[in-house]
Amino acid sequence: MNIKQRPDTPCIAICSTGLGDDVCRGCGRTFLEVANWVSLSEAEKEAVWTRLEAHWAAQGLTPPWQLR
């Protein structure tokens, strides 16, 4: 996905990390990635985006932030 097409965050407001999940069922980020998103460097965010996009593609699914 083109970086310019990405939202500011992968969050889709269905966060399960607040319920105790280590990985969010909504976007796929880890608890630490969710909690620290605003302080991550651009390179760190890019690494998360790349992993998430590969994760959803491997399942044959459209990333949830693209469905909004």
Side-chain angles (χ1 to χ4, degrees):
M1 174 179 224
N2 185 323
I3 290 173
K4 294 185 186 296
Q5 296 174 325
R6 291 179 180 151
D8 293 333
T9 175
C11 181
I12 60 166
I14 303 176
C15 192
S16 66
T17 59
L19 302 173
D21 288 342
D22 290 332
V23 176
C24 180
R25 293 181 217 165
C27 69
R29 291 180 294 168
T30 66
F31 172 81
L32 290 175
E33 290 167 343
V34 171
N36 296 310
W37 186 257
V38 297
S39 63
L40 295 180
S41 69
E42 290 304 313
E44 291 168 322
K45 287 180 182 179
E46 180 59 31
V48 174
W49 280 114
T50 300
R51 180 181 55 77
L52 292 175
E53 290 163 352
H55 165 78
W56 294 106
Q59 295 181 61
L61 299 171
T62 301
W65 56 87
Q66 290 181 359
L67 300 172
R68 300 195 116 204

